[in-house]
Amino acid sequence: MIRQERMRIVKHKEIAHHIFEMTLAGQLVHDMYSPGQFVHIRVSDSYEPLLRRPISIASINHKDSEFTMIYRAEGRGTTMLSQKQIGEELDVLGPLGNGFPIEEAAPGETVVLIGGGIGVPPLYELSKRLVDKGVKPIHVLGFQSKEAVFYEDFFRELGETHIVTVDGSHGQQGFVTTLLAELQPEFTSYFTCGPTGMLAAIQNMYHDRKGFLSFEERMGCGLGACFACVCKTTDQTEVDYVKVCSDGPVFPAGVVSV
Amino acid sequence: MNRLSIELPGLSLKNPIMPASGCFGFGKEYARLYDLSKLGAIMIKATTLETRLGNPTPRVAETSSGMLNAIGLQNPGLEKVLAEELKWLEQYDVPIIANVAGTLTEDYVEVAKHISKSKNVHALELNISCPNVKCGGITFGTDPTVAAELTAAVKEVSEVPVYVKLSPNVTDIGEIARAVEAGGADGITMINTLIGMRLDTRTGKPVIANGTGGLSGPAVKPVALRMVYEVAKQVSIPIIGMGGVATVDDVIDFMSAGASAVAVGTANFVDPFVCPNIINQLPEKLDWLGLNHVSELVGRSHR
């Protein structure tokens, strides 16, 4: 069920350059079931900025009725969000969208989780769920530079983890695709989230493999009503277009034309 | 006594609040959040004869207290809207106002003829004001003669009252309003979005793929209010007012300026519960104003 709730900020800190981790408490957490779903946040009670900001869920803690999200303070809205203090309340709409299908990976299988920059967070909850299920994840995470890297240790606790940076200041130098080409990992399916260019490269590189990609697009309502976030589909599907917010953000490989 | 009920041509409204066309799809997304029967009416997404896939993305851009959009009338086409969307909406006790769009007069006439026969469609809203399509849309809404002719052509075939949605992108909106009234319109809905632009400061290029888009949200309310006020003085047919409505006070303002009912657009994206919230707040607001019935608000500014 989708709810709107004023949730309380219980943790909030900068964990990498312009990257913030925020934990929110409230009953809405109990409707979060799928890693890869997102919340739609109103960063101000005024009309500035007007629209909500879609932010992906990084981890879910049902026991304490809390969830954590990680975002980059980049534009006007997320910069305002980064100035919020612990104890303040935020208007949260969610959970929205369809997440990664964990049922597609069977116990004993090895899967590869590929994340780029601010696309890395949803892979954390996904990896935890997969490990709980007995699936072995290999993480391949790409960042701009050493200052932008986050959650490396958390991912290492869950499984094999490889880091690449564009400038080579941490881990290997290059892109996730260069590392994957070198590693040639054995896997049954892949799960990925990151910038569209990265998703396109991965969908091409693994065109004959089973995979699931989480897309990002400029959104309006987040519910599927405004038709702002539509994507063209490939001719492998019957529909002419999909909406990232309500049909996705996660789609099986080959659905979205990139 | 229902203090909020409003009677308009073709429409018996439980209350004067309705989601505006293009901001509510065909209702399905919001039906997951609340009972659509609470609404006064629903203005469904513009329907064209054929399926339309709309404009390339990015289609929206935020602006100061507002947003620009250039969706481009994406919709599944008349046949599917009739068979699927309107059929599905029949489960709710709410009148539908069908927004009709097209490229040529014949398109409007064809869509109007069929969609006005639908059981739950109680009125049409002629979209002669969409700023985001190359042909049709706004080209019908900026010339009074053309607007009147289109209105008359649709009136001839429609089985339900016809409201005409006016564009604010004209020098004299009163002239267009009087023309469509003379053309036989049963009512006016206003305003559609204002054509605007946002540039990427770094590249100097438009943010929206279409280049320009329609500005909506609280930023446009003063313009919309002024136009409703002007038109209310010049026509005797009812007006459904809209443009930046986000609160119950905005509704009071539009009705005071001369609107008989009010549509809520962009605010649905910010707060999906905005329509039922406003409806719940209206009686208390009437008490505060010392009024018995919401209709007493209509045209207060002019008295």
Side-chain angles (χ1 to χ4, degrees):
Chain A
M1 192 182 121
I2 299 167
R3 316 191 197 202
Q4 185 185 16
E5 187 181 349
R6 290 193 76 84
M7 299 184 80
R8 196 166 41 85
I9 302 170
V10 292
K11 278 182 211 148
H12 194 194
K13 63 175 181 200
E14 189 169 6
I15 56 169
H17 187 57
H18 288 175
I19 306 286
F20 290 79
E21 179 191 54
M22 182 187 274
T23 301
L24 290 155
Q27 291 311 301
L28 194 148
V29 173
H30 299 287
D31 290 312
M32 295 177 173
Y33 51 92
S34 169
Q37 286 186 293
F38 67 96
V39 288
H40 218 18
I41 302 233
R42 210 172 159 190
V43 302
S44 157
D45 288 330
S46 78
Y47 298 140
E48 276 302 309
L50 183 65
L51 299 174
R52 289 172 181 270
R53 297 297 189 267
I55 297 175
S56 62
I57 298 164
S59 66
I60 306 165
N61 175 352
H62 286 131
K63 186 170 67 66
D64 299 323
S65 301
E66 292 175 3
F67 82 94
T68 298
M69 57 186 202
I70 295 167
Y71 64 93
R72 181 163 54 213
E74 203 171 20
R76 199 163 52 129
T78 43
T79 301
M80 279 175 79
L81 186 61
S82 72
Q83 288 153 2
K84 299 278 175 193
Q85 304 294 317
I86 290 168
E88 279 188 74
E89 285 184 346
L90 270 186
D91 176 343
V92 181
L93 181 71
L96 300 178
N98 303 295
F100 289 105
I102 32 181
E103 66 279 5
E104 291 285 341
E109 284 181 357
T110 298
V111 299
V112 56
L113 273 49
I114 312 154
I118 207 61
V120 168
L123 300 182
Y124 182 58
E125 178 67 28
L126 172 66
S127 185
K128 286 199 293 181
R129 299 283 191 94
L130 291 169
V131 169
D132 282 349
K133 204 183 160 180
V135 178
K136 187 184 162 216
I138 299 173
H139 310 111
V140 177
L141 311 175
F143 299 93
Q144 276 300 320
S145 64
K146 187 174 191 236
E147 293 73 41
V149 177
F150 59 90
Y151 269 39
E152 182 179 352
D153 294 341
F154 288 179
F155 279 100
R156 286 200 193 283
E157 276 172 35
L158 294 168
E160 186 182 327
T161 300
H162 303 269
I163 306 284
V164 283
T165 51
V166 177
D167 67 358
S169 55
H170 189 67
Q172 198 169 324
Q173 195 268 324
F175 296 98
V176 290
T177 38
T178 38
L179 187 79
L180 285 164
E182 257 175 57
L183 274 178
Q184 305 252 343
E186 294 278 322
F187 64 91
T188 50
S189 53
Y190 71 86
F191 298 83
T192 181
C193 183
T196 310
M198 186 193 99
L199 299 183
I202 290 166
Q203 187 162 283
N204 287 334
M205 181 172 176
Y206 293 137
H207 61 93
D208 54 350
R209 306 297 301 265
K210 180 164 107 176
F212 301 90
L213 305 92
S214 181
F215 287 82
E216 197 177 44
E217 185 55 78
R218 217 175 260 268
M219 287 181 194
C221 67
L223 297 166
C226 76
F227 288 77
C229 65
V230 299
C231 282
K232 281 208 178 76
T233 49
T234 63
D235 44 20
Q236 293 171 40
T237 59
E238 281 176 22
V239 290
D240 297 321
Y241 65 92
V242 286
K243 293 181 259 188
V244 170
C245 70
S246 57
D247 297 324
V250 176
F251 296 96
V255 170
V256 176
S257 168
V258 284
Chain B
M1 183 189 82
N2 179 356
R3 302 173 72 190
L4 302 183
S5 62
I6 292 279
E7 292 294 323
L8 292 176
L11 301 162
S12 284
L13 308 175
K14 288 188 213 73
N15 60 69
I17 307 302
M18 60 190 81
S21 180
C23 299
F24 208 72
F26 293 93
K28 278 199 179 106
E29 293 77 15
Y30 291 87
R32 292 158 71 196
L33 304 177
Y34 63 85
D35 179 6
L36 300 185
S37 303
K38 286 184 182 161
L39 298 166
I42 297 174
M43 295 167 138
I44 56 169
K45 193 155 170 50
T47 299
T48 52
L49 199 52
E50 74 293 357
T51 304
R52 289 216 188 165
L53 294 177
N55 290 325
T57 59
R59 294 173 166 190
V60 296
E62 201 172 34
T63 62
S64 298
S65 301
M67 67 177 271
L68 291 162
N69 89 79
I71 307 298
L73 299 182
Q74 180 161 13
N75 80 95
L78 175 66
E79 209 173 301
K80 272 203 172 146
V81 169
L82 285 174
E84 293 168 22
E85 309 295 351
L86 284 168
K87 191 89 199 144
W88 179 85
L89 277 164
E90 279 179 16
Q91 64 186 296
Y92 298 100
D93 173 27
V94 60
I96 305 300
I97 302 174
N99 186 294
V100 173
T103 304
L104 305 167
T105 303
E106 297 87 275
D107 303 334
Y108 283 90
V109 166
E110 192 65 11
V111 174
K113 192 158 86 184
H114 294 284
I115 211 163
S116 68
K117 289 194 179 91
S118 204
K119 202 163 90 187
N120 46 351
V121 170
H122 292 212
L124 302 186
E125 180 180 48
L126 276 194
N127 187 346
I128 58 165
S129 44
C130 176
N132 298 322
V133 289
K134 283 194 185 69
C135 305
I138 200 167
T139 51
F140 285 97
T142 47
D143 180 322
T145 313
V146 176
E149 283 170 6
L150 181 71
T151 306
V154 170
K155 268 300 284 180
E156 213 162 288
V157 298
S158 177
E159 307 210 353
V160 295
V162 176
Y163 292 68
V164 181
K165 187 166 186 177
L166 301 189
S167 169
N169 303 297
V170 293
T171 310
D172 181 2
I173 197 163
E175 188 187 14
I176 311 278
R178 292 193 308 272
V180 299
E181 183 181 37
D186 298 283
I188 283 169
T189 66
M190 61 186 289
I191 58 172
N192 205 318
T193 55
L194 287 140
I195 301 175
M197 246 185 146
R198 183 176 148 193
L199 299 180
D200 181 315
T201 311
R202 195 173 50 82
T203 62
K205 298 281 188 329
V207 171
I208 289 186
N210 188 51
T212 60
L215 180 66
S216 65
V220 311
K221 184 192 156 190
V223 178
L225 201 58
R226 186 272 291 177
M227 288 184 159
V228 168
Y229 183 88
E230 293 259 313
V231 169
K233 285 192 290 192
Q234 300 183 37
V235 298
S236 54
I237 50 177
I239 298 169
I240 300 175
M242 69 195 82
V245 175
T247 65
V248 68
D249 286 6
D250 296 333
V251 171
I252 307 280
D253 288 349
F254 272 89
M255 295 187 80
S256 301
S260 300
V262 175
V264 182
T266 302
N268 287 290
F269 303 156
V270 180
D271 174 4
F273 295 94
V274 64
C275 288
N277 286 347
I278 289 176
I279 293 163
N280 291 339
Q281 290 160 1
L282 263 174
E284 201 181 314
K285 219 54 191 185
L286 291 179
D287 291 344
W288 179 72
L289 290 165
L291 300 176
N292 286 320
H293 196 274
V294 74
S295 59
E296 294 164 40
L297 286 167
V298 181
R300 278 196 312 164
S301 325
H302 304 277
R303 291 200 284 267

